[in-house]
Amino acid sequence: MSWQPSASFNNIRARAAMLAKIRQFFAERNVLEVETPLVCDSTVTDPYIESLQLTSGDYLQTSPEYAMKRLLAAGIGDCYQICKAFREDESGLRHNPEFTLLEWYRVGFSLDALMDEVGTLVNLFLPNKKVEKLTYQEAFERTLGFDPLAISLNDLKAKASQHIQLEMPDGTLDDWLNALISLVIEPTLGKEGLTFIYQYPPSQAALAKLTKNDRTQSVAARFELYYQGIELANGFDELTDQPSQAERFAKDNDERQQRGQKRIPIDQAFLTSLAQLPDCSGVALGLDRLLMLNTQSPSIQDVLTFPDRQ
């Protein structure tokens, strides 16, 4: 086994320069850098995310979201964090079980204002890229010709079979939508610049508020950012309603159980703090992927010193 780093010294220096530029970006905007624990006694309930669990029973965080929102609820104001995050069984050209996140929250920001700020920051490292904003519906309609918010499961399966060959006998509407967006739509996004996809299905809201689109359909106030077919960021207009969030956590755990996954203990401290959470928007941006694109590296392994627990 090689003991040498997989990243070149040039890429290691590029990471250091990126971190310095990010800190300058937020210092100019009076956004405070904070730090929260990596080890937590709870974790996300999302059925599509598997956390790394320690032998003690604690978890390594998949993002600092819960802890940072507790700081926001306590009154810290605009804040950001650069930290390690962890997910089980994620390895490949764009994934590593341990990765670096930039996460920040802006009090009183609309989702549109946050998208603009994300675009400004990302353009520091992918310069002169035009910005495109598409709704989730527009992305499906442009590429696949149907409205994903107004289609039945049977019709969706029939549509999907024209583009992908997958065996998901127990697949839900979201399973099929996720398969289509990842395998068919994502590769077309951000080919000529930065593409934001926003207004996701309400079932995919996670920790985002629900709102209405211009067709009076219920949608999640959430966005994702893509460049060259690669997802870079995921942002929310943050949900502040305790009962709604508790209901979502319970629904997630029920779905996890149905899928044969472990139920996750609810983070009660986070849930309680939502009563004091101010109106805010937040986003998590993957710095390893951004650095990979910035340095024109073919794999995320090329920008990590020792990837995949090497």
Side-chain angles (χ1 to χ4, degrees), residues 165-227:
Q165 298 302 314
L166 282 180
E167 293 296 327
M168 287 197 296
D170 299 321
T172 65
L173 199 73
D174 281 328
D175 289 333
W176 285 101
L177 290 175
N178 287 337
L180 283 170
I181 200 166
S182 63
L183 297 175
V184 182
I185 297 176
E186 281 185 9
T188 72
L189 299 177
K191 288 301 183 184
E192 298 180 6
L194 305 177
T195 298
F196 287 92
I197 302 296
Y198 66 104
Q199 292 185 351
Y200 277 68
S203 55
Q204 298 179 26
L207 282 79
K209 290 180 180 176
L210 297 183
T211 185
K212 296 287 186 181
N213 63 13
D214 57 9
R215 306 180 197 183
T216 69
Q217 295 165 303
S218 179
V219 291
R222 171 187 172 189
F223 70 80
E224 292 189 357
L225 170 63
Y226 293 87
Y227 177 66

Side-chain angles (χ1 to χ4, degrees), residues 11 108 227 283 305:
N11 284 352
Y227 177 66
V283 60
T305 50

